[in-house]
Amino acid sequence: MAEQEASGLQVLLHTLQSSSDKESILTILKVLGDLLSVGTDRRIHYMISKGGSEALLQTLVDTARTAPPDYDILLPLFRLLAKVGLRDKKIGRKALELEALDVTLILARKNLSHGQNLLHCLWALRVFASSVSMGAMLGINGAMELLFKVITPYTRKRTQAIRAATEVLAALLKSKSNGRRAVNRGYVTSLLGLHQDWHSHDTANAYVQIRRGLLLCLRHIAALRSGREAFLAAQGMEILFSTTQNCLDDKSMEPVISVVLQILRQCYPTSPLPLVTASSAYAFPVPGCITTEPPHDLPEEDFEDDGDDEVDKDSDTEDGKVEDDDLETDVNKLSSKPGLDRPEEELMQYEELQSKLGDDLNSEKTQYANHHHIPAAASSKQHCYSKDQSSCGQEREYAVQTSLLCRVKTGRSTVHLGSKKNPGVNLYQNVQSNSLRRDSSESEIPDIQASPKADAWDVDAIFCPRMSASFSNSTRTREVVKVIDKLLQTHLKRVPFHDPYLYMAKARRTSSVVDFKMMAFPDVWGHCPPPTTQPMLERKCGVQRIRIFEDIRRLIQPSDVINKVVFSLDEPWPLQDNASNCLRFFSKFESGNLRKAIQVREFEYDLLVNADVNSTQHQQWFYFKVSGMQAAIPYHFNIINCEKPNSQFNYGMQPTLYSVKEALLGKPTWIRTGHEICYYKNHYRQSTAVAGGASGKCYYTLTFAVTFPHSEDVCYLAYHYPYTYTALMTHLDILEKSVNLKEVYFRQDVLCQTLGGNPCPLVTITAMPESNSDEHLEQFRHRPYQVITARVHPGESNASWVMKGTLEFLVSSDPVARLLRENFIFKIIPMLNPDGVINGNHRCSLSGEDLNRQWLSPSAHLQPTIYHAKGLLYHLSSIGRSPVVFCDFHGHSQKKNVFLYGCSIKETLWQAACTVGTSTILEEVNYRTLPKILDKLAPAFTMSSCSFLVEKSRASTARVVVWREMGVSRSYTMESSYCGCNQGPYQGLQFGTRELEEMGAMFCLGLLILELKSASCSHQLLARAATLLSAEEDALDQHLQRCSSSSGSVPSELEDEPACLEEIDYSTDNSSDQEGSLSELDRRIQECAFNKFEGEEEEEAPGQGGEAIP
């Protein structure tokens, strides 16, 4: 049957080419048209495969060369040819070989005054020009000159032909040779004039598609440097800006506005960042490395003319949707276990960390004094809380009050959810600066303007000095201490697990590259989670284009641009005049990152963040102080040197703000803030010299507006909730003093010293032995291990908040925590990159390296924390005590929710469509159990975002190395979004510190459920679990159903993000116009086949176009 159909089609096509009978030809064209007008495109592709395009083209040539050409045949033939040609990628080449290209061009010339015939010719030319090479050929043969005869100033006649002509011209101008020809012949000025004419006359927006076609022509010309120069010389920026700025909210103008924005972005002159060097403002002499002169940005001429968009090669986290060519398909690399990367005798140094366990329990006197390993933190009695304020046991009041099982995903959460209908709710609202406030204990808090006096609480100058030994005895320091004491006594609100005096004492021991002299107020004073969870910001349509138009206005109307540098790490200090009418900025404190601030207008500032130390990249994290503001006025901040091509700031995420005045009024809280937020590519480029000769990378702008709650306040803005190294060290000391010493074994060790000279803490948590008997001590020492690490990437402060929740839960009195302590030893490295955190890096250590890419062969000198963390894991593996679970906590900037990345050989090979060796590979699926448990337990967790693929680019990460080299099948990276959730109980809400800490506790609960589900779980543990958790029997029964431990279906994959309301990246090579116009062309051709041609067209004079084509 198929052969009969094929032979029938071939007969029709052969007859079409050979017949000279008009009726026969028209009948065949009608039959073919009917066949191709129904069904799917498969019929058209089948016809193409049988030579259908060639048959139609040959018929076109033969008919055109008869005298006179028969348009009764040519018009349906053109329609059918256009329909088929839209699906034939080689139609242009075929038309050239059969001379149909020249024939169609000649027919178009002969029918300039006959609209219907011309329109059909233009449709065919549009299809032929879909090939850039054929477009270039048409340009050589004078097609552009012909089209400019068709494209006239505004008229209501022949509009279909004019629209088709603009589309053909736009297709031709994709050819660079045609683009250069258009520039040389002055077509840029002509196109701008035509655009202005149509824009000014088409007040009803009836001919938007013609205007869009003209703009597409300009956009393709602007892809060339010479085209951009011609556009700028013809005042193109001013023309498009003036004709469009008042139409941004007109939805009927959307096709025009989107192309205008692309052109304006293309033609905005690229420039280097306004920095003296691309390198970090901070430098650290790395041992054994030769310091070279930092690369400098070069003038604009150095930039590549037409470089491709930068690919984010160094994404901050691991993305489950990897390219198949990045998947590791070498079975040997996936399954082999390489040897040690160091001499075996070196592992003996880690024996000490293990053998200490229980050694301090040998005498009655020191049985529970396990905190003696930690240096005393109190500096003097006056810097300690009084007994009525604090005690060693009081912190336990802030531990989890109810069992964690009461807060699982299927139960009730303790988090107060904010209103999703009111995303702009101000958590600082109803704050009166001239009234008395009451804190949670109902004690009066006087107005900070009155007590202390305004000049006495100058936080800019006096609150946060680190009081180093070099000036600790000065009169100025003693005055500072008095003021701090008065502030603390008058205004301090109790913050769980925080002590300002202890923090300040710890800060003096923290070593930074530039020896910070100041501390940030929020870090010293502390943070309490807000009472409600804040919803994601609803993105308003048009906010991005408004900001882009503001950028353009700054270029073409610079009269109101101040362009004044008000803060810079690269220039002598101070730059700011306290009396001037501008904000004051500062960032030289722990974890601070702001390199430069430029006042653009009275209430607008361009900000540049610092690159990582000894690096020229990784600009994302920011944390800085701002003061001198006025209340109730929106200030716009533009961070102009971000690197990532997209951000959660486009999808509801807000930066965080901390107000000093609010803290002194009893609200020491980091909150999400900002409106008119968007993230988009700007005109700044890295020079090719800095990029090593490659095309200079693009930069992106994060822009947001902040309305501050008070005038003359001191506020801090950050990418995410800050968590400093000093905060960690303070937290660990307070945790240690808060534990129940008869139940909890808590010990701090120093894993190693960092490059910057800071101790990297290693925490051990387990339960005290029941007694000092040999049997109980043996059980105590031989509990299985769980190893958890965090903060290898300094900018991922959310990982530290998750870790904080983990630590506080593990030492709490919660029955789940008690069970975990009794059955496991937790080895925790809460901050793998202290130096990066201290110095405000986003990704790297002081050596300028991403430490999570150094696990394959770390250096004890350059990556000491990774070297010794791996050494500890090696040691546990060598003695047969590999951890049950290894997990590295991270943050994710481009996805929502919390999820895990694990490792699987089979899933990786299946995803890569590689079947070699998969049948012989034995692999347990237990790596999926923990994420499935968390998916049911944790409100913020989702299984659908988890991935277990092993990528080549991740071969040197902790997750993959621990899995491959130590044989830990449950080796994970746990990613927490900077933004929030798009599923579950927290859907539509941004993460606060409470939710992140809750996730840390839920992770611990998951570890217990994992153990209870395991086949190796002892009856003793099950009995103990039943006893301790008897109050939550329903919840326990729900989560201990062994039969369903691995049978749950995996939810369908969620979209990473829905399509943004606006195009995020206005790239020059966007091909959406081609796809849209071709499908639209197909529709118009079909309409023309069934409808009478529009009445406005002028009829051809008798005999016109009657000559045969040679």
Side-chain angles (χ1 to χ4, degrees):
M1 185 68 180
E3 292 180 0
Q4 293 177 356
E5 290 179 359
S7 61
L9 177 62
Q10 289 172 339
V11 168
L12 282 176
L13 294 176
H14 176 73
T15 304
L16 180 66
Q17 296 179 76
S18 59
S19 176
S20 58
D21 180 63
K22 178 177 180 178
E23 294 302 323
S24 299
I25 294 174
L26 289 174
T27 300
I28 294 172
L29 290 176
K30 186 177 186 308
V31 170
L32 291 174
D34 291 342
L35 284 172
L36 301 183
S37 62
V38 295
T40 65
D41 285 353
R42 288 186 61 185
R43 291 188 176 187
I44 299 178
H45 289 294
Y46 182 72
M47 177 177 165
I48 293 171
S49 69
K50 297 302 179 181
S53 298
E54 290 87 340
L56 295 176
L57 290 168
Q58 188 61 58
T59 304
L60 168 63
V61 172
D62 293 341
T63 304
R65 286 176 174 169
T66 60
D70 192 338
Y71 286 92
D72 290 338
I73 295 176
L74 285 174
L75 296 189
L77 183 57
F78 271 130
R79 289 195 294 269
L80 189 58
L81 186 58
K83 186 179 185 67
V84 173
L86 288 173
R87 282 86 176 171
D88 189 346
K89 295 182 179 179
K90 298 181 180 179
I91 188 67
R93 177 63 57 185
K94 294 174 182 178
L96 176 66
E97 293 174 353
L98 294 174
E99 300 181 357
L101 211 63
D102 291 336
V103 165
T104 306
L105 200 56
I106 294 171
L107 286 174
R109 288 195 181 99
K110 289 181 174 292
N111 286 279
L112 286 175
S113 59
H114 193 294
Q116 185 175 1
N117 296 352
L118 176 62
L119 178 62
H120 283 69
C121 293
L122 292 174
W123 283 342
L125 289 174
R126 173 66 187 88
V127 172
F128 299 155
S130 58
S131 165
V132 174
S133 59
M134 292 306 102
M137 185 67 65
L138 285 169
I140 293 173
N141 292 336
M144 289 196 296
E145 292 82 353
L146 168 67
L147 295 171
F148 270 102
K149 294 179 180 178
V150 180
I151 304 171
T152 63
Y154 177 80
T155 178
R156 293 185 179 181
K157 297 182 179 181
R158 300 168 51 114
T159 54
Q160 285 201 32
I162 294 174
R163 175 181 175 181
T166 61
E167 293 172 354
V168 177
L169 183 59
L172 295 180
L173 288 170
K174 289 184 177 180
S175 161
K176 290 186 178 181
S177 61
N178 285 341
R180 286 188 286 269
R181 190 176 292 111
V183 172
N184 294 335
R185 296 182 180 178
Y187 290 164
V188 172
T189 303
S190 300
L191 288 168
L192 284 169
L194 287 167
H195 165 74
Q196 281 183 291
D197 185 72
W198 279 88
H199 176 83
S200 60
H201 289 90
D202 184 23
T203 55
N205 295 333
Y207 305 112
V208 166
Q209 292 300 329
I210 292 178
R211 293 152 64 184
R212 179 177 184 270
L214 293 170
L215 290 168
L216 286 174
C217 295
L218 287 168
R219 201 192 77 174
H220 293 313
I221 294 175
L224 300 173
R225 172 180 289 183
S226 58
R228 294 191 291 272
E229 292 173 350
F231 179 83
L232 293 172
Q235 303 296 305
M237 299 287 280
E238 292 82 355
I239 292 171
L240 295 191
F241 181 83
S242 62
T243 57
T244 316
Q245 62 177 335
N246 297 324
C247 309
L248 297 181
D249 296 329
D250 189 342
K251 292 185 178 180
S252 67
M253 286 282 290
E254 182 63 29
V256 169
I257 295 171
S258 61
V259 183
V260 167
L261 284 168
Q262 293 170 12
I263 297 171
L264 293 176
R265 298 307 295 152
Q266 277 180 297
C267 297
Y268 198 117
T270 58
S271 62
L273 292 167
L275 295 172
V276 295
T277 173
S279 298
S280 171
Y282 302 146
F284 178 79
V286 179
C289 295
I290 301 174
T291 304
T292 58
E293 183 178 353
H296 291 263
D297 280 340
L298 298 183
E300 183 181 337
E301 301 83 48
D302 176 66
F303 290 93
E304 289 292 319
D305 180 33
D306 303 305
D308 294 332
D309 291 340
E310 161 121 339
V311 177
D312 189 24
K313 297 178 181 178
D314 205 10
S315 177
D316 66 331
T317 46
E318 309 175 46
D319 195 343
K321 292 186 176 181
V322 296
E323 295 294 333
D324 286 350
D325 58 3
D326 188 37
L327 295 176
E328 182 58 75
T329 56
D330 187 330
V331 178
N332 291 328
K333 290 184 178 180
L334 287 170
S335 57
S336 64
K337 185 176 180 180
L340 289 173
D341 63 357
R342 66 197 75 193
E344 190 170 354
E345 53 270 19
E346 279 196 23
L347 300 183
M348 296 304 296
Q349 63 182 306
Y350 306 106
E351 177 70 28
E352 182 183 357
L353 294 176
Q354 187 201 14
S355 61
K356 279 184 180 180
L357 199 62
D359 287 351
D360 48 351
L361 308 177
N362 292 331
S363 66
E364 181 92 16
K365 193 171 187 179
T366 61
Q367 182 171 357
Y368 301 119
N370 57 52
H371 62 278
H372 75 274
H373 293 278
I374 309 169
S379 56
S380 66
K381 289 186 178 180
Q382 68 171 349
H383 286 174
C384 295
Y385 284 124
S386 60
K387 290 184 179 179
D388 62 333
Q389 288 177 297
S390 172
S391 67
C392 288
Q394 178 130 6
E395 293 296 347
R396 288 196 289 272
E397 294 179 8
Y398 299 100
V400 181
Q401 298 295 320
T402 58
S403 172
L404 190 65
L405 282 174
C406 296
R407 295 190 285 150
V408 296
K409 182 177 287 187
T410 55
R412 299 169 64 184
S413 173
T414 60
V415 177
H416 299 285
L417 303 183
S419 171
K420 298 180 185 180
K421 295 182 180 180
N422 186 18
V425 63
N426 182 6
L427 295 181
Y428 288 152
Q429 64 187 350
N430 299 326
V431 176
Q432 301 296 327
S433 61
N434 292 311
S435 63
L436 293 178
R437 299 275 301 177
R438 293 182 180 270
D439 65 7
S440 57
S441 62
E442 295 299 316
S443 61
E444 291 188 354
I445 299 180
D447 169 42
I448 56 177
Q449 298 288 351
S451 177
K453 294 180 180 179
D455 59 352
W457 73 278
D458 182 4
V459 184
D460 273 340
I462 66 172
F463 184 74
C464 301
R466 287 176 51 175
M467 296 180 290
S468 62
S470 60
F471 61 98
S472 59
N473 296 322
S474 67
T475 303
R476 173 66 170 167
T477 302
R478 288 194 294 271
E479 293 174 355
V480 168
V481 171
K482 290 180 181 179
V483 173
I484 293 174
D485 284 340
K486 188 174 178 82
L487 284 172
L488 290 172
Q489 292 169 13
T490 308
H491 297 289
L492 184 64
K493 178 178 180 179
R494 189 82 178 110
V495 176
F497 295 103
H498 184 73
D499 180 344
Y501 290 115
L502 180 58
Y503 186 96
M504 289 186 283
K506 289 287 185 183
R508 291 200 294 273
R509 304 171 190 169
T510 299
S511 176
S512 57
V513 171
V514 294
D515 190 21
F516 296 133
K517 303 296 183 185
M518 304 291 287
M519 293 176 288
F521 183 100
D523 302 328
V524 176
W525 200 261
H527 158 76
C528 287
T532 60
T533 304
Q534 293 179 254
M536 294 180 196
L537 183 69
E538 183 178 351
R539 183 186 174 100
K540 295 181 179 178
C541 184
V543 62
Q544 178 169 299
R545 58 186 50 176
I546 290 172
R547 296 312 305 167
I548 290 177
F549 264 78
E550 283 299 305
D551 290 347
I552 303 300
R553 186 167 74 88
R554 191 192 304 188
L555 174 70
I556 64 178
Q557 298 174 3
S559 57
D560 63 338
V561 175
I562 299 172
N563 204 31
K564 175 185 176 183
V565 177
V566 296
F567 172 78
S568 176
L569 296 179
D570 302 303
E571 299 177 42
W573 184 260
L575 291 173
Q576 296 175 337
D577 179 5
N578 289 339
S580 64
N581 186 25
C582 68
L583 296 177
R584 298 184 294 277
F585 296 86
F586 188 74
S587 66
K588 296 181 73 171
F589 48 78
E590 187 175 349
S591 292
N593 190 323
L594 177 66
R595 182 170 185 171
K596 194 171 188 176
I598 304 169
Q599 186 177 18
V600 178
R601 298 185 180 93
E602 184 177 5
F603 303 113
E604 182 178 3
Y605 294 83
D606 281 352
L607 308 178
L608 294 100
V609 294
N610 198 17
D612 285 1
V613 176
N614 285 341
S615 172
T616 62
Q617 53 186 340
H618 308 302
Q619 290 98 208
Q620 181 168 324
W621 170 259
F622 60 86
Y623 179 22
F624 58 88
K625 182 178 75 172
V626 59
S627 58
M629 68 284 292
Q630 300 177 45
I633 291 178
Y635 287 84
H636 281 91
F637 299 100
N638 311 310
I639 300 178
I640 62 174
N641 63 332
C642 302
E643 289 186 315
K644 295 188 175 297
N646 200 357
S647 169
Q648 282 293 313
F649 284 116
N650 274 328
Y651 302 102
M653 176 176 162
Q654 295 172 283
T656 58
L657 177 140
Y658 190 105
S659 163
V660 170
K661 283 192 175 183
E662 286 294 320
L664 297 177
L665 289 170
K667 285 179 154 183
T669 301
W670 281 99
I671 65 166
R672 302 276 190 166
T673 193
H675 54 280
E676 298 180 22
I677 301 175
C678 65
Y679 187 96
Y680 60 93
K681 183 191 288 187
N682 59 38
H683 65 281
Y684 293 106
R685 302 289 181 270
Q686 189 180 70
S687 70
T688 53
V690 174
S695 177
K697 71 179 178 183
C698 306
Y699 289 102
Y700 296 79
T701 292
L702 163 63
T703 180
F704 57 93
V706 175
T707 302
F708 294 101
H710 303 281
S711 294
E712 295 303 322
D713 195 0
V714 177
C715 292
Y716 292 78
L717 287 166
Y719 182 86
H720 194 70
Y721 307 100
Y723 190 98
T724 65
Y725 170 76
T726 301
L728 169 67
M729 302 305 285
T730 304
H731 186 226
L732 292 179
D733 273 16
I734 295 175
L735 269 181
E736 183 191 23
K737 296 180 187 303
S738 72
V739 299
N740 184 336
L741 301 179
K742 294 183 179 181
E743 296 182 1
V744 182
Y745 181 95
F746 184 100
R747 192 183 79 229
Q748 285 191 70
D749 291 296
V750 176
L751 178 69
C752 63
Q753 295 289 323
T754 67
L755 278 179
N758 294 289
C760 178
L762 169 66
V763 177
T764 304
I765 299 175
T766 188
M768 280 293 188
E770 293 183 34
S771 72
N772 274 348
S773 69
D774 292 342
E775 179 184 356
H776 287 154
L777 286 176
E778 190 69 12
Q779 190 274 339
F780 172 72
R781 292 192 179 99
H782 284 81
R783 294 167 185 165
Y785 283 92
Q786 307 276 11
V787 177
I788 309 174
T789 62
R791 207 69 185 277
V792 69
H793 293 147
E796 295 168 6
S797 60
N798 42 0
S800 281
W801 288 102
V802 176
M803 177 60 77
K804 181 175 183 288
T806 297
L807 289 167
E808 290 178 11
F809 178 75
L810 285 176
V811 302
S812 73
S813 59
D814 189 284
V816 172
R818 191 178 307 139
L819 273 178
L820 285 168
R821 292 194 301 268
E822 290 173 354
N823 289 276
F824 297 105
I825 299 170
F826 287 85
K827 287 289 187 182
I828 298 174
I829 308 174
M831 193 170 285
L832 278 167
N833 193 349
D835 293 338
V837 173
I838 292 166
N839 293 285
N841 284 6
H842 172 64
R843 193 172 183 86
C844 297
S845 66
L846 293 186
S847 62
E849 298 170 305
D850 179 349
L851 292 183
N852 203 34
R853 297 296 185 274
Q854 308 301 323
W855 279 79
L856 273 178
S857 54
S859 162
H861 301 291
L862 296 179
Q863 304 101 23
T865 61
I866 305 303
Y867 182 85
H868 290 290
K870 187 178 182 182
L872 177 61
L873 287 160
Y874 263 144
H875 170 68
L876 295 178
S877 178
S878 69
I879 62 174
R881 305 283 301 282
S882 290
V884 178
V885 169
F886 169 83
C887 193
D888 189 21
F889 292 173
H890 281 252
H892 205 293
S893 69
Q894 298 190 40
K895 296 178 75 173
K896 289 185 171 68
N897 309 307
V898 180
F899 49 94
L900 286 176
Y901 289 120
C903 302
S904 166
I905 299 177
K906 285 195 171 184
E907 290 197 35
T908 302
L909 296 177
W910 287 336
Q911 179 67 29
C914 177
T915 58
V916 178
T918 54
S919 59
T920 61
I921 294 174
L922 298 178
E923 183 179 53
E924 296 183 11
V925 294
N926 59 9
Y927 60 87
R928 278 185 167 266
T929 308
L930 180 59
K932 285 183 177 181
I933 291 171
L934 292 174
D935 186 57
K936 294 179 179 180
L937 295 178
F941 193 91
T942 177
M943 182 72 182
S944 62
S945 293
C946 296
S947 172
F948 306 94
L949 305 180
V950 181
E951 309 94 330
K952 298 174 186 176
S953 60
R954 314 287 177 181
S956 57
T957 60
R959 165 180 67 100
V960 176
V961 170
V962 173
W963 167 73
R964 183 173 170 230
E965 298 189 18
M966 286 75 173
V968 179
S969 61
R970 296 188 181 100
S971 177
Y972 303 107
T973 298
M974 188 165 82
E975 303 278 3
S976 300
S977 174
Y978 287 106
C979 182
C981 283
N982 60 6
Q983 55 79 44
Y986 296 159
Q987 183 175 5
L989 301 175
Q990 297 183 80
F991 284 146
T993 56
R994 180 189 284 109
E995 291 73 55
L996 294 170
E997 291 182 53
E998 178 190 68
M999 186 63 233
M1002 288 291 177
F1003 179 80
C1004 297
L1005 174 58
L1007 294 179
L1008 178 63
I1009 303 298
L1010 176 68
E1011 178 63 17
L1012 295 176
K1013 285 176 176 288
S1014 69
S1016 61
C1017 181
S1018 67
H1019 293 290
Q1020 182 181 5
L1021 174 56
L1022 287 172
R1024 183 74 174 133
T1027 301
L1028 289 178
L1029 303 175
S1030 59
E1032 290 85 21
E1033 287 181 1
D1034 292 340
L1036 183 63
D1037 290 340
Q1038 180 180 352
H1039 296 290
L1040 297 186
Q1041 298 175 11
R1042 289 175 174 273
C1043 61
S1044 63
S1045 61
S1046 60
S1047 61
S1049 60
V1050 180
S1052 59
E1053 179 70 16
L1054 295 174
E1055 292 286 340
D1056 282 356
E1057 291 301 341
C1060 191
L1061 292 177
E1062 302 166 75
E1063 187 180 6
I1064 292 170
D1065 185 81
Y1066 296 98
S1067 57
T1068 60
D1069 58 353
N1070 190 306
S1071 59
S1072 61
D1073 61 287
Q1074 176 184 347
E1075 297 171 359
S1077 62
L1078 289 180
S1079 60
E1080 174 67 13
L1081 177 59
D1082 195 10
R1083 184 190 63 78
R1084 282 150 49 201
I1085 292 170
Q1086 291 184 28
E1087 286 182 357
C1088 185
F1090 294 104
N1091 297 298
K1092 186 178 179 180
F1093 196 71
E1094 61 182 349
E1096 68 185 23
E1097 300 290 350
E1098 295 178 1
E1099 292 299 326
E1100 178 190 19
Q1104 188 171 358
E1107 297 179 6
I1109 297 174

XYZ file of all heavy atoms in Angstrom, residues 67 95 218 233 377 483-484 511 597 680 706 947 957 961 975 1055:
111
model
N 5.445 32.643 -22.402
C 5.031 33.998 -22.740
C 3.528 34.008 -23.023
O 3.081 33.356 -23.984
C 5.798 34.497 -23.953
N 16.543 26.050 -4.862
C 16.070 27.140 -5.723
C 17.213 27.738 -6.516
O 17.053 28.111 -7.698
C 15.392 28.210 -4.874
N 16.811 46.680 11.532
C 17.820 47.427 12.290
C 18.564 46.526 13.272
O 19.763 46.655 13.475
C 17.153 48.583 13.033
C 16.708 49.763 12.183
C 15.820 50.702 12.982
C 17.927 50.520 11.638
N 25.465 57.016 14.943
C 25.702 58.253 14.205
C 24.405 58.849 13.674
O 24.275 60.074 13.533
C 26.667 57.997 13.048
N 36.196 32.043 76.900
C 35.888 33.155 76.008
C 35.624 34.447 76.743
O 35.671 35.518 76.151
C 34.677 32.808 75.148
N 29.812 53.215 76.227
C 28.619 53.415 75.393
C 28.007 52.073 75.013
O 26.776 51.894 75.050
C 28.971 54.232 74.136
C 27.783 54.291 73.193
C 29.413 55.633 74.528
N 28.868 51.098 74.671
C 28.363 49.779 74.315
C 27.621 49.162 75.494
O 26.529 48.612 75.349
C 29.523 48.872 73.853
C 30.099 49.388 72.530
C 29.055 47.433 73.694
C 31.326 48.653 72.066
N 41.372 36.489 62.166
C 42.412 37.088 61.314
C 41.871 37.326 59.917
O 41.354 36.407 59.272
C 43.627 36.160 61.257
O 44.593 36.661 60.376
N 30.970 52.489 45.444
C 29.617 53.044 45.341
C 29.696 54.365 44.590
O 30.511 55.229 44.921
C 29.007 53.249 46.725
N 19.412 41.586 34.969
C 19.500 41.567 33.512
C 20.920 41.877 33.057
O 21.729 42.437 33.802
C 18.523 42.580 32.899
C 18.778 44.018 33.325
C 19.583 44.858 32.557
C 18.214 44.534 34.491
C 19.830 46.168 32.944
C 18.449 45.839 34.886
C 19.257 46.653 34.111
O 19.503 47.949 34.498
N 14.886 50.311 47.765
C 14.658 50.125 49.198
C 14.103 51.421 49.774
O 14.649 52.497 49.529
C 15.957 49.746 49.933
C 15.722 49.685 51.441
C 16.500 48.422 49.421
N 19.029 14.831 42.198
C 19.708 14.208 41.065
C 20.814 13.308 41.601
O 21.429 13.610 42.621
C 20.293 15.268 40.131
O 21.097 14.664 39.131
N 34.570 17.134 43.411
C 33.772 17.682 44.511
C 33.746 16.692 45.674
O 34.043 15.499 45.521
C 32.333 17.964 44.059
O 31.735 16.729 43.623
C 32.290 18.969 42.922
N 33.980 12.490 45.383
C 35.222 11.891 45.888
C 34.931 10.986 47.087
O 35.466 9.877 47.184
C 36.238 12.994 46.251
C 37.426 12.403 47.002
C 36.717 13.704 44.989
N 21.433 21.047 48.905
C 21.303 22.401 48.401
C 20.065 23.080 48.999
O 18.965 22.516 48.957
C 21.166 22.399 46.877
C 22.303 21.733 46.131
C 23.488 22.653 45.943
O 23.431 23.785 46.448
O 24.459 22.253 45.292
N 9.350 22.227 36.867
C 10.118 23.197 36.108
C 11.016 23.962 37.065
O 10.613 24.315 38.165
C 9.169 24.181 35.409
C 8.340 23.562 34.293
C 9.149 23.281 33.055
O 10.218 23.891 32.901
O 8.723 22.441 32.248
